[in-house]
Amino acid sequence: MILPKNRFSRREFLRGAAVATLAAPFVSRNLFASPPSETILHASIGASRQAGSDLQLIAHHPFVKLVAIADVDSTKSAPWKEKFPGVRIYQDWRELLEKEKQLDTLNISTPDHMHAPIAMSAMQLGKHVYVQKPLTHDIYETRQLTNVARQKKLVTQMGIQIHSNSAYHQAVQLVREGVIGKIMEVHSWCGKGWGDPASLPDRRDTPPDGFNWDLWLGVAAGRHFIGESYYHPQNWRKRLDFGTGTFGDMGCHIFDPVFNALELTAPASIRSEGPSPNQWNWASDALVRYVFPGTKHTAGETISVMWYDGVKRPPQEVLSLVTIERLPGTGSIFVGTKGVMLLPHISRPRLFPADQFADFQLPAVEDGNHYTEFLEAVRGNGKATTNFDYSGPLTEAVLLGGVASRFPDTTLQWDSKALKFQNLADANALLRRKYRKGWDVEGLS
């Protein structure tokens, strides 16, 4: 049997969902959120690629007014003036926050290393935020954002838009209803390879016109610009100081239905059995073993959840449980006591053995709109389902895999409450980074 192509391409899903540097460090004020007027006043931090998609889908809602855009590359933000006359353009997000005091919401759609500084600065001003995945670059940042969002009663949403897709809702329902029994283990993978074994190129290049390299670096340590897309606009995902590798890029997506279905909490231990990063870049071909406390949906007191990326895949004894000719490039296999579920990213779940479930009808579930859900929650209607109380712990677990990759073949015992590893002090040093001088942010620095 050949696995059918995904019914929902990313482009189709998103289409369907649509209905000057400051010298001093940014100091935010301790304000609480206030309800917006009938019209939500919104700003986007970022103007192209994922940021362009996010701001387009948010700004076209009938009750949203796009007020401002900040992007370190002025060539990316300028074209939006034609689509949204009157929108104000900035290069420095700190200047935007200082001047646009009336804002209700922001989307933060930047490289990973700037998610937390921008989101925290906005939240300290009482702004509701939609933040792209992974929520932050470092685990301490995640915990701090989660705590502040809860304290200030802010509406938050992490940009894992497939969480609102009907296919993922179906998978969660199937697991929680026990259709394949209690879950014994889960295997998740992604074929992307955001890694680079090479050394740092020994050269200095001139940033392109309109691009502010210092603003792009933000809280990261200073260094020379390297052209040919080494950092900007996309290969930053491979670099330790800016991205979070393949796992950080896709883990929050792929682990989402696993966490949601099983109602997982923090892992008890993490072990990397793949290659470690070098001094500058993440590695590809990860293999990370998690042990989580069991839940009412699992078969034992603990449950093993595995992550593979690049060329790595689940072992043959697991793959043999799903009788298909071609494994999807990204997805998860849930192994239950009464059956097995294959959940491709992004497509309908499939149940095995095939003959056992030949007449089984998947539950009827409608697609949701991740952006509308966030905006309606800001207006007081409903709740954002990937708010930081949910997406914070999810992000922490994903980022723990990156930390574990620095210590291959070592089982790290994790104390989530204390936010530290119990058995390796060197690993604790990677939970929080020091921000560059002049880039202090209240609540993070």
Side-chain angles (χ1 to χ4, degrees):
M1 182 181 298
I2 299 177
L3 185 70
K5 293 182 179 179
N6 288 353
R7 290 189 57 187
F8 306 102
S9 70
R10 182 177 181 278
R11 180 178 298 175
E12 288 169 340
F13 174 76
L14 290 175
R15 187 188 307 124
V19 184
T21 309
L22 295 180
F26 184 84
V27 180
S28 51
R29 289 165 294 170
N30 192 28
L31 303 180
F32 282 82
S34 58
S37 63
E38 185 64 24
T39 299
I40 293 175
L41 302 181
H42 183 79
S44 175
I45 311 300
S48 64
R49 295 181 178 267
Q50 184 60 54
S53 175
D54 288 342
L55 81 86
Q56 180 97 355
L57 291 170
I58 291 173
H60 276 89
H61 282 274
F63 43 82
V64 171
K65 180 180 180 181
L66 180 64
V67 173
I69 297 173
D71 196 294
V72 298
D73 189 340
S74 59
T75 66
K76 303 300 183 184
S77 52
W80 290 98
K81 292 279 288 184
E82 297 180 10
K83 294 185 177 181
F84 297 94
V87 67
R88 290 179 286 278
I89 303 297
Y90 300 85
Q91 268 197 315
D92 193 328
W93 58 270
R94 298 170 299 176
E95 184 181 5
L96 182 151
L97 285 179
E98 181 63 28
K99 292 183 177 180
E100 304 292 346
K101 301 182 186 300
Q102 79 285 21
L103 288 175
D104 299 306
T105 58
L106 295 93
N107 65 279
I108 292 94
S109 310
T110 67
D112 298 350
H113 73 293
M114 290 304 295
H115 287 182
I118 301 172
M120 179 64 86
S121 297
M123 291 163 63
Q124 295 285 12
L125 292 169
K127 311 304 181 186
H128 309 286
V129 292
Y130 182 105
V131 184
Q132 263 305 322
K133 52 78 190 168
L135 187 58
T136 67
H137 184 273
D138 298 296
I139 293 167
Y140 174 80
E141 295 174 328
T142 303
R143 185 65 61 89
Q144 290 297 95
L145 259 62
T146 302
N147 289 340
V148 169
R150 186 183 305 125
Q151 291 164 7
K152 290 182 173 291
K153 298 180 173 57
L154 291 165
V155 176
T156 57
Q157 186 93 305
M158 185 167 75
I160 45 173
Q161 66 275 6
I162 315 307
H163 181 92
S164 297
N165 185 281
S166 60
Y168 272 18
H169 283 304
Q170 285 177 323
V172 170
Q173 186 172 336
L174 291 173
V175 170
R176 290 190 178 181
E177 291 181 352
V179 173
I180 58 171
K182 299 289 186 179
I183 306 303
M184 298 186 291
E185 58 188 65
V186 182
H187 298 260
S188 300
W189 67 93
C190 176
K192 288 186 177 182
W194 287 117
D196 186 352
S199 299
L200 183 72
D202 184 17
R203 69 174 195 266
R204 302 182 182 186
D205 297 327
T206 301
D209 291 343
F211 175 64
N212 190 315
W213 172 237
D214 187 70
L215 286 179
W216 190 92
L217 283 174
V219 299
R223 69 204 68 201
H224 299 297
F225 176 75
I226 300 174
E228 299 177 4
S229 297
Y230 185 81
Y231 294 116
H232 177 72
Q234 192 168 9
N235 283 318
W236 54 265
R237 292 192 185 278
K238 301 177 182 179
R239 318 303 171 201
L240 292 177
D241 289 347
F242 307 112
T244 46
T246 304
F247 201 177
D249 177 35
M250 293 301 293
C252 292
H253 278 311
I254 311 309
F255 269 14
D256 170 36
V258 179
F259 263 68
N260 196 10
L262 297 177
E263 299 184 89
L264 295 178
T265 55
S269 68
I270 314 96
R271 179 183 178 88
S272 171
E273 298 178 6
S276 60
N278 63 20
Q279 182 179 347
W280 305 276
N281 305 318
W282 293 101
S284 296
D285 307 329
L287 194 166
V288 183
R289 299 179 181 271
Y290 289 85
V291 175
F292 286 90
T295 72
K296 61 184 178 182
H297 310 295
T298 65
E301 294 183 358
T302 63
I303 182 169
S304 172
V305 177
M306 302 289 298
W307 172 266
Y308 316 79
D309 64 44
V311 301
K312 295 289 181 67
R313 292 295 181 274
Q316 188 56 44
E317 59 264 30
V318 174
L319 297 179
S320 65
L321 299 174
V322 294
T323 51
I324 57 175
E325 293 185 7
R326 181 180 301 172
L327 191 73
T330 303
S332 295
I333 294 174
F334 295 70
V335 181
T337 55
K338 298 180 181 179
V340 175
M341 181 175 72
L342 169 66
L343 179 60
H345 179 77
I346 312 158
S347 192
R348 301 295 182 198
R350 300 184 62 188
L351 304 179
F352 299 90
D355 56 351
Q356 177 180 323
F357 294 99
D359 298 323
F360 183 84
Q361 297 294 316
L362 292 175
V365 181
E366 295 184 356
D367 283 325
N369 184 317
H370 209 58
Y371 299 92
T372 298
E373 178 183 274
F374 166 68
L375 296 166
E376 285 292 351
V378 170
R379 301 175 81 203
N381 303 321
K383 182 180 180 181
T385 54
T386 63
N387 60 70
F388 295 174
D389 279 332
Y390 172 79
S391 58
L394 169 60
T395 300
E396 286 186 21
V398 169
L399 296 180
L400 284 169
V403 174
S405 73
R406 314 281 191 102
F407 307 94
D409 301 317
T410 302
T411 299
L412 302 179
Q413 303 295 332
W414 179 240
D415 183 341
S416 177
K417 185 176 181 179
L419 204 71
K420 69 177 184 179
F421 295 101
Q422 297 175 322
N423 61 327
L424 191 61
D426 287 349
N428 289 323
L430 298 174
L431 300 176
R432 180 180 182 182
R433 61 192 158 138
K434 185 177 181 179
Y435 286 3
R436 185 159 58 120
K437 185 178 180 180
W439 285 85
D440 295 331
V441 176
E442 181 183 346
L444 293 177
S445 302

